[in-house]
Amino acid sequence: MTVCEFQEIDPEVLNRATEKALEALDSERTPRLLVEFYDTATNFAGSTFAMLQPRDAGAVTATDLLALRTLSIKLGAYEIRQFLDGGPNERKISQLLGELPSAELQNTNAADFSPMAAFYDEVKRLLAGAGTKNSNRWVAASKLTARKRPDLFPVRDRVVCGYLGILKQTDRARDWYVFRHLMRNSDITSRLSELPARIAAAANGRDVRLDEEPLRLLDAILWRYAMTASTEIPVDDEDARGESESD
């Protein structure tokens, strides 16, 4: 079994990530940014990524791979076959899905990170297919694991990790630790609970469909705020989340 072992995260890293998350959540621009992201009349992924039906808790399906496309992940025929060929890869993925903790990220413990890492690592391995330009598809793997368990896996990419100040950690479990810290912070969870009302007040009749999971809402505002607040974050094609027709 995959074992996650790492030194404790520096409190300064956790404090900075918390401050940056609260900055995004408290911004006056936040309701407008999220209205745009969740407006069904735009090409942003919105809630389609996590909510696209049907959802199968026990397997990676064609619908899951289609959902990845809403977050700008491109898959070749080889990668698709790795997940859908009905062979040992598909069975291994289903086994690892079944071993994931039932808890939400904020309620996980240290032991839960090992089955999370095992599932993530296998997804990442299968995504590094023949002919891919990048064999280290950590962003694509983060997005697919988040699609399967949006309450457990955050979407890690260069934009969000760069904004939070954790991009140099280059370790999935260390990043999960930081996101778990954020989701345990009462100020952050309080702001997240207030977001739906703030978004509704700013919607002005637009068809806005929000994610159900607070972790997904946090991801959405971190990404939108970071993308509009800085031009210094290094980005890749896989860091996108769709785009507005007006952009």
Side-chain angles (χ1 to χ4, degrees):
M1 169 181 267
T2 303
V3 177
C4 289
E5 295 181 354
F6 54 84
Q7 296 177 346
E8 288 294 313
I9 307 297
D10 187 330
E12 291 187 6
V13 173
L14 297 176
N15 290 339
R16 172 182 165 78
T18 302
E19 290 173 1
K20 298 300 286 184
L22 287 171
E23 176 188 330
L25 287 164
D26 288 338
S27 172
E28 293 182 354
R29 296 187 293 121
T30 289
R32 176 181 61 80
L33 292 174
L34 290 182
V35 166
E36 292 174 353
F37 186 73
Y38 287 110
D39 184 354
T40 60
T42 73
N43 269 335
F44 283 116
S47 63
T48 301
F49 165 68
M51 302 299 292
L52 187 65
Q53 299 293 334
R55 292 189 287 175
D56 185 338
V60 170
T61 67
T63 304
D64 295 324
L65 301 185
L66 177 61
L68 278 186
R69 191 67 191 91
T70 70
L71 290 191
S72 303
I73 298 298
K74 298 178 181 179
L75 299 178
Y78 179 87
E79 291 89 31
I80 292 172
R81 285 193 293 269
Q82 301 313 296
F83 292 99
L84 304 180
D85 66 356
N89 290 335
E90 192 169 343
R91 292 190 292 272
K92 180 69 174 298
I93 284 291
S94 292
Q95 173 195 333
L96 294 173
L97 270 170
E99 294 172 354
L100 290 174
S102 58
E104 298 176 339
L105 178 62
Q106 60 267 33
N107 297 323
T108 57
N109 56 44
D112 291 328
F113 280 15
S114 291
M116 290 171 63
F119 176 58
Y120 170 90
D121 290 348
E122 181 65 7
V123 167
K124 183 180 172 186
R125 182 184 73 83
L126 297 179
L127 287 170
T132 56
K133 292 187 296 183
N134 180 11
S135 61
N136 182 17
R137 301 191 72 185
W138 64 278
V139 173
S142 294
K143 291 180 176 182
L144 184 50
T145 53
R147 159 67 187 181
K148 295 312 301 178
R149 283 293 304 277
D151 62 336
L152 181 63
F153 289 99
V155 174
R156 300 163 51 243
D157 65 13
R158 295 165 189 81
V159 175
V160 172
C161 289
Y163 174 73
L164 292 176
I166 60 174
L167 187 58
K168 293 183 179 180
Q169 291 194 142
T170 63
D171 181 273
R172 71 273 199 254
R174 291 176 68 86
D175 289 351
W176 297 335
Y177 187 102
V178 173
F179 278 95
R180 184 179 69 178
H181 177 80
L182 298 180
M183 293 303 296
R184 287 178 172 179
N185 182 281
S186 60
D187 290 330
I188 289 176
T189 56
S190 176
R191 304 298 201 283
L192 288 173
S193 68
E194 296 166 357
L195 266 183
R198 294 176 66 196
I199 295 169
N204 292 324
R206 297 166 78 171
D207 183 15
V208 175
R209 303 178 189 178
L210 303 182
D211 281 304
E212 296 176 351
E213 301 294 342
L215 182 59
R216 289 292 309 126
L217 286 175
L218 178 63
D219 167 68
I221 188 51
L222 291 178
W223 183 80
R224 284 290 283 141
Y225 187 80
M227 286 294 290
T228 57
S230 174
T231 59
E232 299 179 356
I233 298 173
V235 298
D236 184 84
D237 290 345
E238 293 196 345
D239 295 314
R241 313 285 175 94
E243 60 183 0
S244 170
E245 293 288 358
S246 61
D247 284 352

